[in-house]
Amino acid sequence: MNTISISRRKFAQLLGVGAAGAIVRPRHTFAAKPGAHPAITSGVVRLSSNENPYGPSPKALKAMNDAFGLSCRYPDEHADELVESLAKLNSVNRDQILLGDGSGEILKLCAEAFTGPTSGKLVVADPTFEAILNHASVNGAEVVKVPLTASFGHDLSKMAAAAKEGLIYICNPNNPTASITPKDEIRDFIIKTPRQTIILVDEAYYHYADSPDYESVIPLIKDHPNLIVARTFSKIYGMAGLRCGYCVGQKETIDRLRPHQMWDSVNIMALAAASTSLNDPDQVANGRRFTSEARAYVTNELDAMGYKQIPSQANFIMIDVRRPVAPLIQAMKARNVQVGRLFPAMPNHMRVTIGKKAEMQTFLSAFRAVTA
């Protein structure tokens, strides 16, 4: 029988090249040549999916290589190890953690468990991350969209009025606007929301936020059984292609999600990489710094061109292009620069992921050309 296979030695060599590249590439400087990044050498600059262009920790790459020989085994032990680490990190018990195939699986589980014809509606901001809207709709739930406030925060009073049961989804920092809803407003909202209404706070971009008006709501879980917080390894940990996320909640709430989940949904490579990433302090610190520096560079250039952006607390920006954005998205694509899709609630705004400085220079060159 003809099969395509790869030996462990060859896989190790491939990962070794990746790890070496992660080590020698400029993790502490923006002095990279444009040809240094795969997206640039392939002729396309990808700034469309809020990915981390620096990739996983070199230690995570090594952990994946070490786990390769265990790929014939189910990932139970690795899952237990990651759950233990996450419980300690978030100061909760093990039974308050549920792993997911990215935080996207967590959103799907919440839609299945807490929305539907008999469970209740889904209430979301408009615009926000759209995946959970699709899951709730497939589940037969009514979806209520509440426009963001003038400062691009969640209009929590209107969201509360729209849901007497079911699920309220809060993405904070919000995607696609990169804006935050102030911590005092969210804390007050959580305290006042009836317990039959589940609140899901998506903190995918938590690590990038540095505003004094922002904080995680995980500490509030101990007093609120209707609160769930989702996190992901896709962003600052650079593991978007590996798919690993988790949520935190009270045990009874997590137990309501478990029956909806497929067994062993997180693969052994992702688990090994995630556990190791948590023990690499440089990964988060460098990710924050590199993103902040590149974001400041590109926003200063856009300001000089007269284009305003929503103040960003994430690894992307939302630019007011002062005209319908759809033609500009296509024009940028024709110049081999991919930016975010159209968000109907904000038809004159362009979402752009913060890449490396060389990528942002390429973006600015294309942006100047299409807006001239």
Side-chain angles (χ1 to χ4, degrees), residues 55-73:
S57 159
K59 295 178 181 179
L61 292 172
K62 181 181 184 302
M64 289 174 62
N65 179 37
D66 293 343
F68 185 75
L70 299 174
S71 58
C72 60
R73 305 296 182 186

Side-chain angles (χ1 to χ4, degrees), residues 137-158:
S137 295
V138 169
N139 208 40
E142 177 187 355
V143 176
V144 179
K145 297 181 181 180
V146 178
L148 295 171
T149 66
S151 58
F152 301 101
H154 287 68
D155 194 330
L156 296 175
S157 61
K158 290 184 179 178

Side-chain angles (χ1 to χ4, degrees), residues 163-191:
K164 302 305 180 186
E165 55 185 7
L167 177 66
I168 297 178
Y169 172 71
I170 300 171
C171 187
N172 197 37
N174 188 44
N175 179 12
T177 54
S179 53
I180 61 169
T181 301
K183 60 186 181 183
D184 292 343
E185 293 182 20
I186 288 191
R187 186 187 305 114
D188 186 60
F189 169 77
I190 291 170
I191 291 171

Side-chain angles (χ1 to χ4, degrees), residues 274-327:
S275 292
T276 305
S277 294
L278 293 176
N279 295 318
D280 184 356
D282 290 340
Q283 182 69 17
V284 171
N286 287 341
R288 284 173 173 163
R289 180 161 63 87
F290 299 153
T291 299
S292 178
E293 291 173 359
R295 187 175 60 203
Y297 163 73
V298 72
T299 54
N300 286 340
E301 293 292 318
L302 289 167
D303 287 342
M305 296 166 61
Y307 287 96
K308 296 180 179 180
Q309 320 95 47
I310 299 171
S312 173
Q313 287 288 298
N315 66 334
F316 57 94
I317 54 176
M318 195 70 153
I319 309 164
D320 183 355
V321 296
R322 306 194 301 262
R323 69 190 83 174
V325 72

Side-chain angles (χ1 to χ4, degrees), residues 70 73-84 94 264 268 271 275:
L70 299 174
R73 305 296 182 186
Y74 289 109
D76 299 337
E77 292 181 9
H78 282 71
D80 289 343
E81 179 184 345
L82 180 56
V83 167
E84 185 70 32
R94 289 174 47 89
D264 298 326
I268 199 165
L271 292 167
S275 292

Side-chain angles (χ1 to χ4, degrees), residues 16-276:
V17 170
I23 294 170
V24 302
R25 67 189 174 208
R27 295 183 68 84
H28 303 286
T29 177
F30 281 129
K33 295 180 181 179
H37 191 276
I40 296 177
T41 56
S42 67
V44 175
V45 175
R46 177 165 159 158
L47 305 173
S48 54
S49 300
N50 301 343
E51 297 153 331
N52 178 350
Y54 300 96
S57 159
K59 295 178 181 179
L61 292 172
K62 181 181 184 302
M64 289 174 62
N65 179 37
D66 293 343
F68 185 75
L70 299 174
S71 58
C72 60
R73 305 296 182 186
Y74 289 109
D76 299 337
E77 292 181 9
H78 282 71
D80 289 343
E81 179 184 345
L82 180 56
V83 167
E84 185 70 32
S85 297
L86 291 171
K88 290 180 180 178
L89 177 67
N90 293 289
S91 301
V92 298
N93 297 324
R94 289 174 47 89
D95 56 14
Q96 292 183 254
I97 301 286
L98 183 67
L99 301 180
D101 180 26
S103 60
E105 183 183 19
I106 299 299
L107 271 57
K108 184 175 188 292
L109 296 176
C110 288
E112 291 177 352
F114 305 122
T115 75
T118 59
S119 300
K121 62 185 72 171
L122 171 68
V123 179
V124 300
D126 189 22
T128 194
F129 184 51
E130 298 158 336
I132 195 168
L133 283 71
N134 298 330
H135 298 316
S137 295
V138 169
N139 208 40
E142 177 187 355
V143 176
V144 179
K145 297 181 181 180
V146 178
L148 295 171
T149 66
S151 58
F152 301 101
H154 287 68
D155 194 330
L156 296 175
S157 61
K158 290 184 179 178
M159 293 177 78
K164 302 305 180 186
E165 55 185 7
L167 177 66
I168 297 178
Y169 172 71
I170 300 171
C171 187
N172 197 37
N174 188 44
N175 179 12
T177 54
S179 53
I180 61 169
T181 301
K183 60 186 181 183
D184 292 343
E185 293 182 20
I186 288 191
R187 186 187 305 114
D188 186 60
F189 169 77
I190 291 170
I191 291 171
K192 293 180 178 178
T193 298
R195 293 197 171 188
Q196 67 267 25
T197 304
I198 300 295
I199 304 168
L200 171 59
V201 179
D202 186 345
E203 294 185 348
Y205 301 96
Y206 156 79
H207 294 96
Y208 294 106
D210 58 8
S211 168
D213 272 338
Y214 179 85
E215 66 182 13
S216 172
V217 297
I218 287 179
L220 299 181
I221 287 173
K222 66 180 186 302
D223 297 319
H224 299 280
N226 58 332
L227 176 61
I228 302 169
V229 178
R231 291 275 184 89
T232 185
F233 285 88
S234 294
K235 305 305 176 182
I236 207 157
Y237 290 106
M239 290 172 48
L242 286 167
R243 314 309 303 133
C244 187
Y246 68 99
C247 70
V248 187
Q250 288 195 13
K251 177 185 181 302
E252 293 74 14
T253 308
I254 297 297
D255 287 344
R256 293 175 65 183
L257 294 175
R258 291 189 192 278
H260 297 272
Q261 185 172 41
M262 182 178 71
W263 287 6
D264 298 326
S265 64
V266 186
N267 71 78
I268 199 165
M269 300 298 181
L271 292 167
S275 292
T276 305

